[in-house]
Amino acid sequence: MNISARRASGQMRIAVALRDHLPAVAGLFGRGELSARVVGAITWRTQFITDEAVWAVIDRAIAERAGTWGPLAEDKLSAAVDALVLEFDARALMVSTTVARGRDFVVGDREDEAGTTSVWGRLSSADAAVLKKRIAAMVATVCENDPRSAPERRADAIGAWSHGNDHLPCACDMQDCPAREAQPVPKSSLVVNVYTDQATLDGLQKPPSTPAAPNPKSAGTALLSGTDVMPTPLLAELLRSGAKLRPVCTPAEEPESRYRPSATLDRFVRARDLTCRFPGCTAPAEFCDIDHVIPYPRGATHPSNLACLCRKHHHLKTFWTGDWELELLPDGAAVWTSPTGHTYTTYPGSRCYFPEWDTATGDLPPPPPPETFSTDRGLMMPQRTCTRAQYRAARIKAERERNNSPPPF
């Protein structure tokens, strides 16, 4: 289906719930009388029910009412399902999740616009009070000529604080700014990779003889974390602030003599792939393993034999020999063959954003004789300490125990 593992897992959860516990609801769904959205809410909000007798009763009750739930908003739809759960099995109510464990802090949303990322969350009252005072103290370190609005200063203060700074650098244009003179140089111990091409840099970098700033409307492409497009004005600001430029060099034609790729080869493979190369996976390359497609030492440490794979799909390819097979072509295209014999081809992520970049790295050198490499990798497959069913049962038990005294409605 070329979807992520998490989405596929969600589809499987819905299918199992309909098959095993909600046959009447499944019948309505099969006849097109319920939407996928309604069925998803029903299977999600009833997942903590464990008694088969309760399942049978609530299945019939939901089937009688669910036909009118389609127009409901998300909160009203959840409340409609929860009302029946509360009636037949109060301990299976999901409300405990938000009441007992409602604290959270989230960075990023799928609807964020390029160049900014939303942040929201819920803290304890004490932590929130400390954070509020810390932000106010940092905002107060700029001079009165700082051109940013109060909301912009608060947002920038959080950014500066995340880098380990206790002050907000002033953004005024005054050469003798009193705030800037009293502040230490901003610091950061983190490294964030931004990928761009030479044409974009040529359009943004300030010529040595020109005092004017780079043109913010210069065309070009820049990527943050492999798949998030960064506006070129923001890249220009990073360059003015002293961001380091490191070219992605084409690796040598000869393979490297060791298992672990050199820093140059590592940087090339991650920049070429940008994400995990398994079909449908979007894990950023910076968090992926670099896998030898043909296992080392029979397979060389060479760009035509290296691909970025997230840990899940690295294990799938490495240990489940005979299931998913991978062939890497010299131009970086990855051809996957599924257990059913179907093939799926994924291309390097850089091909989409930097089509002028030639990522071809040539053919692999001939491998050594087969007898020099022998191993039963299936025996090395990491094993779970408990099955998925045991883990899920333990989680449901813990959630139900939190609902011994459900909140009133």
Side-chain angles (χ1 to χ4, degrees), residues 34-357:
L34 295 181
S35 68
R37 182 182 75 94
V38 172
V39 170
I42 292 171
T43 55
W44 179 255
R45 306 297 296 184
T46 58
Q47 63 176 303
F48 296 148
I49 297 174
T50 57
D51 191 309
E52 290 300 327
V54 175
W55 274 118
V57 174
I58 203 168
D59 180 35
R60 292 192 297 269
I62 291 176
E64 292 175 358
R65 303 185 189 182
T68 62
W69 290 351
L72 296 179
E74 297 299 329
D75 57 339
K76 299 291 193 302
L77 177 57
S78 297
V81 181
D82 288 349
L84 291 176
V85 175
L86 182 63
E87 178 181 351
F88 297 110
D89 189 356
R91 294 183 64 186
L93 204 62
M94 290 191 69
V95 70
S96 64
T97 302
T98 57
V99 172
R101 296 182 297 159
R103 299 189 310 280
D104 193 8
F105 191 80
V106 182
V107 178
D109 183 79
R110 67 182 63 184
E111 297 182 358
D112 287 341
E113 298 181 359
T116 61
T117 299
S118 59
V119 178
W120 73 98
R122 182 178 296 275
L123 307 176
S124 70
S125 299
D127 291 341
V130 173
L131 180 60
K132 185 176 181 179
K133 287 184 175 295
R134 171 62 65 89
I135 294 173
M138 294 182 65
V139 168
T141 61
V142 301
C143 78
E144 60 182 10
N145 296 310
D146 188 286
R148 292 168 291 188
S149 65
E152 290 173 338
R153 293 179 189 177
R154 290 195 294 269
D156 291 348
I158 286 290
W161 176 66
S162 68
H163 286 286
N165 297 291
D166 57 2
H167 67 280
L168 175 62
C170 189
C172 73
D173 295 329
M174 298 174 57
Q175 295 296 328
D176 56 347
C177 172
R180 192 180 297 118
E181 293 178 357
Q183 293 172 346
V185 177
K187 61 181 180 180
S188 176
S189 59
L190 303 177
V191 176
V192 177
N193 291 318
V194 178
Y195 299 100
T196 189
D197 55 5
Q198 189 61 46
T200 302
L201 293 177
D202 292 341
L204 291 177
Q205 287 181 299
K206 179 175 63 177
S209 59
T210 304
N215 180 7
K217 296 184 179 180
S218 299
T221 301
L223 299 177
L224 179 65
S225 299
T227 56
D228 298 330
V229 177
M230 171 183 285
T232 49
L234 181 55
L235 178 60
E237 180 63 30
L238 293 178
L239 294 174
R240 288 196 297 269
S241 301
K244 296 181 180 179
L245 295 175
R246 293 192 301 174
V248 178
C249 302
T250 302
E253 295 183 1
E254 296 298 320
E256 297 183 351
S257 59
R258 56 183 182 176
Y259 171 77
R260 186 178 296 277
S262 65
T264 299
L265 181 54
D266 181 288
R267 191 158 58 247
F268 173 85
V269 174
R270 295 186 192 278
R272 178 196 68 188
D273 292 352
L274 294 182
T275 64
C276 171
R277 299 301 303 280
F278 191 82
C281 186
T282 58
E286 61 183 309
F287 303 122
C288 289
D289 301 330
I290 293 185
D291 173 60
H292 286 73
V293 176
I294 301 174
Y296 183 88
R298 181 168 173 77
T301 304
H302 185 276
S304 294
N305 190 45
L306 299 176
C308 291
L309 295 177
C310 67
R311 185 60 53 86
K312 175 185 178 70
H313 294 126
H314 189 179
H315 284 174
L316 176 74
K317 176 260 176 187
T318 301
F319 298 112
W320 291 96
T321 304
D323 282 1
W324 284 89
E325 300 292 344
L326 171 60
E327 177 187 6
L328 190 66
L329 303 182
D331 64 351
V335 181
W336 292 86
T337 303
S338 73
T340 61
H342 294 81
T343 59
Y344 305 88
T345 302
T346 65
Y347 296 95
S350 58
R351 171 174 164 172
C352 177
Y353 300 99
F354 309 108
E356 301 299 324
W357 184 20

